[in-house]
Amino acid sequence: MKEIIIIFCLIAGFVLMFCISKVILMKKSIIYKHVETDKKITNWDYYNNFDGNWFFKEVDYDYLYEITNDVDILIKKKQIKIYKIISASLFFCIIIVMVIGKTIGLFN
């Protein structure tokens, strides 16, 4: 039982990190493609400057769509929403599983 909980938490942690990185990359691609077009960014900065602020950064997708008429913005808006829901649910599932495991004494 203990091994199953640990394996679940590890897999959920990897999926959580994947979802968070996808949200950050999609937001960066929207911002640097449509908002900050004059700013040059290298691939190193694009893929490696992961900051928690990017995950919680608010982007007005509807306004950007009105300006650019790029359907990709609306698609990424839906994908970001889905990845955020998955991230939040995984985070709370990990917390609940770890608390239950601790209360029944699996980690002693």
Side-chain angles (χ1 to χ4, degrees):
M1 182 69 168
K2 181 179 179 180
E3 294 83 13
I4 294 172
I5 290 176
I6 292 173
I7 290 171
F8 168 76
C9 288
L10 287 174
I11 292 172
F14 285 125
V15 173
L16 178 67
M17 291 282 99
F18 174 76
C19 290
I20 289 172
S21 65
K22 285 294 281 187
V23 168
I24 291 171
L25 287 175
M26 283 191 276
K27 282 187 178 184
K28 279 186 176 185
S29 68
I30 289 173
I31 293 293
Y32 289 119
K33 185 177 179 184
H34 299 291
V35 177
E36 298 178 9
T37 57
D38 58 336
K39 191 173 185 181
K40 297 290 183 185
I41 186 166
T42 63
N43 285 336
W44 178 260
D45 294 331
Y46 182 74
Y47 288 112
N48 290 320
N49 283 341
F50 289 109
D51 188 5
N53 294 329
W54 277 101
F55 186 76
F56 297 108
K57 187 172 190 155
E58 292 296 324
V59 179
D60 192 3
Y61 302 105
D62 298 326
Y63 176 72
L64 287 175
Y65 177 70
E66 288 175 6
I67 293 173
T68 61
N69 290 329
D70 190 5
V71 181
D72 190 43
I73 293 173
L74 297 178
I75 293 170
K76 286 187 179 182
K77 176 185 175 182
K78 289 179 184 177
Q79 289 176 346
I80 287 171
K81 184 176 180 180
I82 290 169
Y83 281 125
K84 279 189 171 184
I85 291 170
I86 292 170
S87 299
S89 62
L90 280 174
F91 180 72
F92 288 119
C93 283
I94 290 172
I95 289 175
I96 290 170
V97 166
M98 295 304 280
V99 167
I100 291 173
K102 184 67 175 173
T103 56
I104 62 174
L106 289 177
F107 302 114
N108 291 333

